Amino acid sequence: MKKIHVIGGGLAGPEAALQAASLGCDVILSEMRPIRSTEAHQTSDFAELVCSNSLKSESENTAPWLLKQEMRRANSFLLQAADASAVPAGHALAVDRIEFSRRVADLIAANPKIEVRREEVTALDETDPDTITILASGPLTSSPLAAELQRLTGAEQLAFYDSISPIVDASTIDMDKVYFAARWDKGTADYINCPFTKEEYEAFLDALTTAEIVEAKSWEALPTNGVATPAPQTMNYFEGCLPIEETARRGRDTLRFGPMKPAGLTNPKTGRWPYAAVQLRQENLRADSYNLVGFQNHLKFGEQARVLRLIPGLEHATFLRYGQIHRNTYIHAPSLLTETLQLRAHPSILIAGQLSGVEGYTESIASGLLAGRYAAALASGHQPTPAPRITANGSLTHYITHADQKKFQPANITFDLLLPLEEDLRKKIRDKKECHRIQCERALTAWDQWLDSGPKLQ
């Protein structure tokens, strides 16, 4: 049996390594931190969550729920760690970052089939007959490795810019000005809500849109031949994760229909919705810190302190981490990848995680789960069978490998990616929730059948 080399210790890499090892393969897991860090990571831990601590909705029959249900049925090791380190977050799955990383590290250390190497990989040998490679080096792939990928693919990489939300010390929140609530009373009231009057919102908006932003750095440019090019003049933001100042510039009410949406957040002190609201989500099990939901930004740290303290309840807040922007690099999957995540030109190399064109924590883990299973099949001399198109995992992979090549952008899991119901059934069932329930039911049935027909974890 061939050995499997996984490059990257973020989310996709550890999941891929654990999956492949549990299918009987010998795995080498390479991670360059702490020998070489990135501009966004703060630790050398496996599975460090750089942006938020949320793995999205756990509401039944939603697309994120379906993706996670499929992963749980496939024994996703990182979802096990996430479930075990969950913190209160209403109807979402959010985790204590440190506990989550610790549990992932323990799973890797306990598996005798996995050899961990703390090293920077700068070369890829596509001709090695004894090795299957899974490249899961993430959105901040180092310049030498990015140049190697360019050499192999013969195509220019693409890049967009992703963001990190601020974190506030819970003891510095003025609890007399805020209230606990879940939107529309779904789940438990785990979110702290900072309510705005119209006047407070307008003042906040004026300060936000005139605040000084951070200039783009040379490392944020796309590496070419191993060398970072000059800093970009404009940021190519991912539309699903815009910084708040960019959202605010698109209209005075844009934030009120986005991360500051007040709908469903009844203030118990007034019995009404506020004009706008900022939600704070618990960051860890100790509940001593909270992150500002959807408040990623690209402002200078001093400006962030000034602007964010205009939020009611945060006037004297201590920020444990400020928001940031970082480059996210991904390949042009529609032209380069097969449905089993193999490079078309070099099938012994698989691409997983955000580098493949999926967006989001859960999606990255799911990509690693599939890559680990596909690599295990290849290592044993078999051609892997793609996840069924009707499933959430299959639909996500189908999107990145079949998207319009001229308009390709990374994607989160949504029902738009799944196969729709037959037209006559859609006409018969008008209720969208019922349609989604049927889609989920069909997906899980097909997923179980696919799992039953494939190799079993040891």
Side-chain angles (χ1 to χ4, degrees), residues 36 120 140-150 157 219 221-228 327:
R36 176 173 178 173
E120 180 185 3
L140 292 175
T141 295
S142 67
S143 294
L145 190 54
E148 269 290 272
L149 191 55
Q150 286 181 317
Q157 290 187 75
W219 67 267
L222 183 64
T224 302
N225 297 324
V227 179
R327 189 194 77 232

Side-chain angles (χ1 to χ4, degrees), residues 73-84:
R73 295 186 182 200
N75 194 34
S76 168
F77 293 92
L78 266 67
L79 267 192
Q80 291 175 30
D83 289 335

